[in-house]
Amino acid sequence: MRQVRLPQPSRRGILAAGGALGLTAALAACGTEKKDGSGKTEGGKTGPWSFKDDRGQTAKRDAAPKNIVAFTGVAAALFDYGIEVKGVFGPTTTKDGKADVQAGDMDVSKLTVIGNAWGQFNIEKYAGLAPDVLISTMFDDKGTLWYVPEESKDKILKLAPSVGISVYDRQLTHPLQRIQALAESLGADVKADKVVKAKKRFEDASERLRKVAKAHKDIKVLVGSASQDLFYVSGSNLSVDLEYFKALGVNLVEPSEQAKKGSGGWFENLSWENVDKYQADIIMMDNRTSAIQPADISKPTWKKLPAVKAGQVIPRVAEPIFSYDKCAPILEDLADAIEKAKKLR
């Protein structure tokens, strides 16, 4: 799996799911003072920092990390909590130099980009940042850090402690909780008005999507991703967003387990000639720059699909930025689409 179109075979097709596990951020406080879970003691003194990640590994420093290097999407989520990073790796800038969708609200011109594509990771540049910690997501149950090249991971991981947040086979709420806990450990004020409002908006959006899905059970939603030769239909298992949509009652098109076998359970490969295999009223399409976008698909079979002809094609944020601020609109937009959709068959 070289890049990552939503689940795409050659790219490892990994976009897993995220469920609500409990927080496991632990801060070691100085002396006998009690910890408040924010990276500081109750007396306000900075103490040693530690964070137990989803591999069960605990990253430790003498103080909360300042020189943070993270996968772009994780860095964007931390930015929403007021935590800025020194360096990023993963899709950060597009060919024209603009911010990639996974960069969120970060000013990419101020970031040191260690690697902008799959397989790219400049170890010398990384070492030059004197990193305190490296943070990424994980799309499998083997502890593989996303966008950290397998062939050079040993050299990379020797340079600083690392933190892995799982987005595999669980619901969206899990990485949201874990990233917030991580941000808090790094010094973020998670009780700030902005943060509290963002979480409330997410919770309200979840409840609204649940009600809309219940009221429109007949609306079928297909989740796809396009490449030059193949169309990928994602199943709801493994992906954090899709598992959450399903839990809220969204009627998702589900490829059979046999059909998904070649991708490790993520998606089914369809030739463009067979793109009409499944009936759908709404099609959600991978919004990442590694995937061909709907406006650029010229295949005649695509243009004949009922959802395409009806204008019921919407973006799928295939790799969400795991902050409540960025995930609430995903739920709101899907609820809007389902509420407005016409039943096509």
Side-chain angles (χ1 to χ4, degrees), residues 30 39-41 44-48 62-64:
C30 295
K40 296 181 180 180
T41 63
K45 298 177 182 178
T46 301
D62 291 339

Side-chain angles (χ1 to χ4, degrees), residues 206 209-211 213-214 243-250 331:
S206 296
L209 180 55
R210 187 191 304 278
K211 291 178 179 178
K214 184 176 181 180
E243 284 206 7
Y244 194 53
F245 298 162
K246 180 173 66 175
L248 293 175
V250 176
L331 305 182

Side-chain angles (χ1 to χ4, degrees), residues 42-79:
E42 285 188 334
K45 298 177 182 178
T46 301
W49 174 87
S50 68
F51 188 88
K52 186 176 181 181
D53 74 1
D54 291 341
R55 299 170 297 181
Q57 298 180 16
T58 301
K60 298 179 180 180
R61 302 296 306 196
D62 291 339
K66 298 299 181 185
N67 293 344
I68 302 168
V69 176
F71 172 68
T72 304
V74 172
L78 292 175
F79 184 85

Side-chain angles (χ1 to χ4, degrees), residues 226 285-286 292-298 302 313-315:
M285 290 294 288
D286 187 343
I292 298 176
Q293 297 305 299
D296 299 320
I297 300 175
S298 59
W302 164 260
V313 178
I314 63 173

